[in-house]
Amino acid sequence: MISLLIILVLPLALLLSLFIFPGPPLLRYLLRLWGSSLRRQSQARRSQLLARTHAAEEELARDKQTQQSRAQEDGWETVESHAARSARNGAAAETEWEGVVGFFHPFCNAGGGGERVLWAAIRATQHRWPKAVCVVYTGDQDVDKGEILQLVESLGSVYLAYEAFSLLVPDVFVDTMGYAFSLAFSKLLFPDVPTGAYVHYPTISTDMLGSLESGGQGVNAGSGKGLKGFVKREYWLFFARCYGWAGGNIDVVMTNSSWTQQHILDLWSRKRTHKSKSYPVTVVFPPVAVEELEREIEISPASEKKRERALLYIAQFRPEKNHALILRAFAEYLSTAGEKASKATKLVLIGSVRHSGDATRVYDLRLLARELKIEGSIEFITNASWPLVLDWLRRSWVGVNGMWNEHFGIGVVEYQAAGLISVVHNSGGPKQDIVVDFKGKSTGFHATTATEYAEAFGKALSLPADETLSMRRRARASAERFTEEAFEESWIAQMEHLMGVLAPSNSSGKKDD
């Protein structure tokens, strides 16, 4: 373990110092020579990859031509829309770009919202530039995620980036997982390679620093006391400075929400201005299965009769999801709702259990429910299948979110697309981007304390029938902003700006090494 720390941390600390201090010009020159060497070493693999890709494209084109010929013989005409429709200002010729777009996503098999963004981004990129080769740099097979996060956090991403560049140097380098240091490292080695970042959440934020104070929120609330707290605060401040300098080296920055955007601006703006990165940090909402939920779940007077007085909270059983707050709020609601309403209402908690820690957390929540005397009105469902989740989205009345400063809130979008009345934490993405007014009217409720949640539950469950149906329809219409099509349009717009950073000699995607 110690040897691994020495191998990773010491060399990477040297590189990190270059993000913070200008550094000797000779050292930067040597790093660029190193980058040129990596590019030459990977040239044979690059040529082989492009040749295989072109061969596959030619085979696919022949298959399509055969299928079209058969269709015409049968009296049918095949009409196919081409993604070049996304080209702006008559830039159809740009679809001929044949370079390599590298996506840095070390753990692409995790299956979460970040991976949904990755695959949607690749699909959109290939639609816009059909001849481009999209390569995913991933460490799933050889790297233990927990070990990296525990040992070196973002510094570990620099080491992974070096391994990636040893295999293949891309023409455009995009991080879709939040490792800003890997992009800054790329700039040190390859100044001519445009870099882009899709940030799901800042690695450090001003809210995290504020949470160390007494009365703070989140899993680190009040932990800034004493010597240990002082050391933690100083480390976080130092890391925030490093993180800001790393972000200043990125050409195009996208964030998943307004909350993330504001925190990235707070941390990165000064350095980005110093580096003349004039293109603004832009919000690109992640793709959510809105269309599928619209197909699967009806919102009508008839469907209202099939809904139950159920409060649905879909979230992993992790500490920051704050299930305990929702249990206490639900207990408070039941104590004031009256006997009839109390017997008819229940809370359903659906979430994944990843390991023994999560399993223990569920057990503790069951104990809390018993202590609050509400165990008969709560249902725990762990590791539910998607069809079962769909069934509860179809049946439930209210969708609940209890996390403080959730960066975006895909689950909340799913509530809205399914027509649930949302009661969400009065912070982060759910407050700023999702549960917002639509055409001047509410699409849900916000709360912070258990009492506020209890009051919001009461309001959501007691709306007149016509207003309940209208709010469900407004929520669904508001969720249209988060479709896969909307993501693709926004992603392509940002990628076109990134392609504009390419040097003219590299715009064809070919290197002269």
Side-chain angles (χ1 to χ4, degrees):
M1 184 67 69
I2 295 177
S3 61
L4 181 60
L5 279 170
I6 294 174
I7 292 171
L8 290 178
V9 174
L10 293 182
L12 297 178
L14 175 61
L15 292 174
L16 180 60
S17 68
L18 292 174
F19 303 151
I20 306 171
F21 307 105
L26 176 60
L27 183 55
R28 291 185 175 271
Y29 175 72
L30 291 175
L31 285 169
R32 293 181 184 184
L33 283 181
W34 185 17
S36 297
S37 175
L38 289 173
R39 182 170 280 160
R40 284 192 298 271
Q41 291 174 20
S42 67
Q43 188 61 40
R45 181 177 285 105
R46 174 191 177 91
S47 300
Q48 184 181 31
L49 176 65
L50 292 176
R52 286 168 51 192
T53 303
H54 292 158
E57 287 178 348
E58 291 175 359
E59 183 178 354
L60 179 62
R62 287 195 298 270
D63 290 343
K64 284 186 176 181
Q65 186 175 10
T66 301
Q67 292 173 5
Q68 290 173 354
S69 298
R70 290 175 179 172
Q72 291 170 358
E73 289 175 1
D74 293 337
W76 293 88
E77 182 177 357
T78 302
V79 179
E80 184 180 30
S81 62
H82 196 278
R85 57 180 168 78
S86 301
R88 290 164 173 76
N89 302 322
E94 294 178 7
T95 62
E96 300 300 309
W97 187 77
E98 299 181 5
V100 175
V101 181
F103 289 86
F104 191 69
H105 202 101
F107 311 105
C108 66
N109 289 335
E115 287 64 53
R116 188 183 184 95
V117 167
L118 169 66
W119 302 121
I122 290 173
R123 181 171 61 248
T125 301
Q126 290 181 327
H127 283 175
R128 175 61 179 84
W129 293 277
K131 294 190 176 183
V133 177
C134 293
V135 175
V136 180
Y137 298 107
T138 179
D140 286 312
Q141 295 179 351
D142 302 314
V143 183
D144 179 78
K145 181 178 182 178
E147 183 177 282
I148 289 180
L149 293 179
Q150 291 171 12
L151 286 177
V152 287
E153 195 76 15
S154 294
L155 287 179
S157 70
V158 179
Y159 179 75
L160 291 178
Y162 164 71
E163 289 190 325
F165 297 146
S166 298
L167 296 173
L168 179 69
V169 177
D171 300 306
V172 177
F173 190 45
V174 182
D175 167 55
T176 51
M177 201 167 177
Y179 291 139
F181 291 98
S182 65
L183 297 174
F185 181 50
S186 174
K187 277 296 182 185
L188 289 174
L189 299 180
F190 319 107
D192 61 329
V193 172
T195 54
Y198 187 92
V199 185
H200 296 274
Y201 57 90
T203 305
I204 185 103
S205 70
T206 52
D207 284 348
M208 286 176 62
L209 293 168
S211 72
L212 296 175
E213 303 294 340
S214 298
Q217 298 189 56
V219 295
N220 292 291
S223 61
K225 299 178 181 178
L227 178 60
K228 184 178 180 180
F230 172 79
V231 172
K232 176 181 284 190
R233 184 190 305 278
E234 291 303 309
Y235 166 71
W236 279 9
L237 286 170
F238 172 74
F239 186 83
R241 185 185 178 195
C242 298
Y243 188 58
W245 280 75
N249 288 276
I250 303 171
D251 296 308
V252 172
V253 179
M254 298 165 268
T255 66
N256 67 337
S257 69
S258 300
W259 183 90
T260 305
Q261 178 194 46
Q262 186 55 57
H263 283 79
I264 288 297
L265 288 172
D266 290 344
L267 293 163
W268 290 4
S269 285
R270 182 178 178 183
K271 183 59 180 177
R272 290 181 63 76
T273 300
H274 178 71
K275 287 280 189 175
S276 300
K277 305 294 185 184
S278 58
Y279 190 68
V281 175
T282 304
V283 176
V284 176
F285 293 127
V288 185
V290 172
E291 297 96 330
E292 179 181 357
L293 291 166
E294 289 176 341
R295 290 193 304 268
E296 295 287 340
I297 299 177
E298 179 184 359
I299 299 179
S300 68
S303 66
E304 286 297 286
K305 299 176 182 178
K306 301 176 183 178
R307 288 193 182 268
E308 305 173 15
R309 288 175 61 87
L311 283 67
L312 179 64
Y313 189 13
I314 302 176
Q316 290 182 335
F317 288 102
R318 305 202 315 256
E320 62 269 24
K321 297 301 182 180
N322 211 351
H323 289 84
L325 170 65
I326 302 305
L327 263 65
R328 293 189 174 91
F330 184 59
E332 187 170 336
Y333 163 74
L334 292 182
S335 68
T336 60
E339 184 178 355
K340 183 177 180 180
S342 297
K343 288 183 178 180
T345 308
K346 66 178 177 179
L347 174 63
V348 180
L349 305 176
I350 298 180
S352 61
V353 173
R354 303 162 298 170
H355 43 59
S356 60
D358 288 351
T360 301
R361 198 164 294 112
V362 173
Y363 177 76
D364 291 340
L365 289 171
R366 291 182 186 275
L367 292 179
L368 177 61
R370 182 174 298 181
E371 178 185 326
L372 295 169
K373 302 185 187 316
I374 58 174
E375 68 271 23
S377 300
I378 293 185
E379 184 169 350
F380 289 85
I381 303 175
T382 58
N383 299 324
S385 64
W386 177 241
L388 181 58
V389 172
L390 269 179
D391 184 52
W392 276 108
L393 286 169
R394 188 180 295 111
R395 293 161 55 188
S396 299
W397 201 275
V398 173
V400 182
N401 159 271
M403 180 177 171
W404 171 68
N405 272 348
E406 179 128 31
H407 319 114
F408 178 64
I410 287 179
V412 179
V413 176
E414 291 174 343
Y415 294 157
Q416 291 201 320
L420 275 66
I421 307 299
S422 297
V423 177
V424 301
H425 200 280
N426 192 31
S427 66
K431 173 188 178 181
Q432 296 181 32
D433 293 320
I434 305 174
V435 184
V436 297
D437 288 354
F438 182 78
K439 295 185 177 180
K441 294 186 177 181
S442 174
T443 61
F445 301 91
H446 305 109
T448 302
T449 65
T451 298
E452 290 173 352
Y453 270 100
E455 292 173 352
F457 293 160
K459 292 176 182 178
L461 291 166
S462 61
L463 289 171
D466 58 343
E467 173 57 19
T468 297
L469 186 58
S470 295
M471 185 175 288
R472 295 194 199 283
R473 287 171 170 165
R474 289 197 299 271
R476 172 168 284 185
S478 180
E480 290 290 334
R481 296 171 293 140
F482 310 112
T483 62
E484 293 181 357
E485 181 180 357
F487 170 81
E488 179 166 327
E489 291 179 358
S490 298
W491 177 268
I492 288 174
Q494 301 308 307
M495 285 297 291
E496 286 181 344
H497 284 288
L498 190 57
M499 292 295 185
V501 180
L502 276 170
S505 60
N506 296 338
S507 60
S508 66
K510 299 176 180 178
K511 302 292 181 182
D512 299 326
D513 292 318

